[in-house]
Amino acid sequence: MKKLLLTTLLMMVAAFQSFADGTGNTSSQNIRIDINSKGLRGTTIRRTPSQIDLNVYYDAETQTIEISYSGDADGEVYLYHNETLVDYDTEINTTFSLPSPTGVYRIEVTTDSWTADGYLEL
């Protein structure tokens, strides 16, 4: 009986925790980023990059894209709107204000050892 009660209690705690996580800021969304390693020319070795802690979020309320990175690499970030460069920053950790509430935005992060691309369609 104690095991049943304990199991039920743990399931309820997990359910409340997942509900609490889902009630945060509903106007922001995560943007999928594809990361590619820069290799030597002519090499045919295809390796997945090591874990790169790069997060990109779009906030619909403030019309901004926030990029956060906790690694050691220095790089540059480019923001394109319908394939036209609209903003640029020399720091990976940055925030961009979007010039238009519609269109396709492309985020490009470039470092010496890897590049990352992501798309946001509004």
Side-chain angles (χ1 to χ4, degrees):
M1 187 66 179
K2 288 182 183 181
K3 288 182 182 181
L4 179 63
L5 182 61
L6 181 63
T7 303
T8 305
L9 180 64
L10 288 175
M11 291 176 68
M12 288 176 53
V13 168
F16 286 128
Q17 181 65 32
S18 66
F19 176 74
D21 289 344
T23 59
N25 187 359
T26 59
S27 69
S28 72
Q29 70 183 49
N30 194 1
I31 300 173
R32 182 172 180 252
I33 297 291
D34 295 322
I35 300 172
N36 302 306
S37 292
K38 290 183 180 177
L40 299 174
R41 288 186 178 158
T43 182
T44 58
I45 299 173
R46 303 279 186 225
R47 294 187 182 132
T48 57
S50 59
Q51 184 65 28
I52 296 174
D53 190 17
L54 179 70
N55 296 305
V56 181
Y57 294 99
Y58 166 66
D59 189 346
E61 287 181 8
T62 60
Q63 292 277 320
T64 58
I65 293 176
E66 179 183 348
I67 302 163
S68 63
Y69 173 64
S70 62
D72 297 331
D74 293 327
E76 301 170 334
V77 182
Y78 302 91
L79 178 66
Y80 297 90
H81 179 243
N82 297 327
E83 296 305 319
T84 302
L85 181 66
V86 292
D87 211 344
Y88 161 82
D89 200 336
T90 58
E91 296 286 327
I92 297 177
N93 293 315
T94 188
T95 301
F96 292 121
S97 295
L98 302 183
S100 172
T102 61
V104 177
Y105 288 92
R106 180 168 67 99
I107 301 101
E108 179 182 322
V109 181
T110 304
T111 68
D112 290 336
S113 59
W114 54 268
T115 62
D117 286 311
Y119 289 90
L120 171 67
E121 186 173 351
L122 298 177

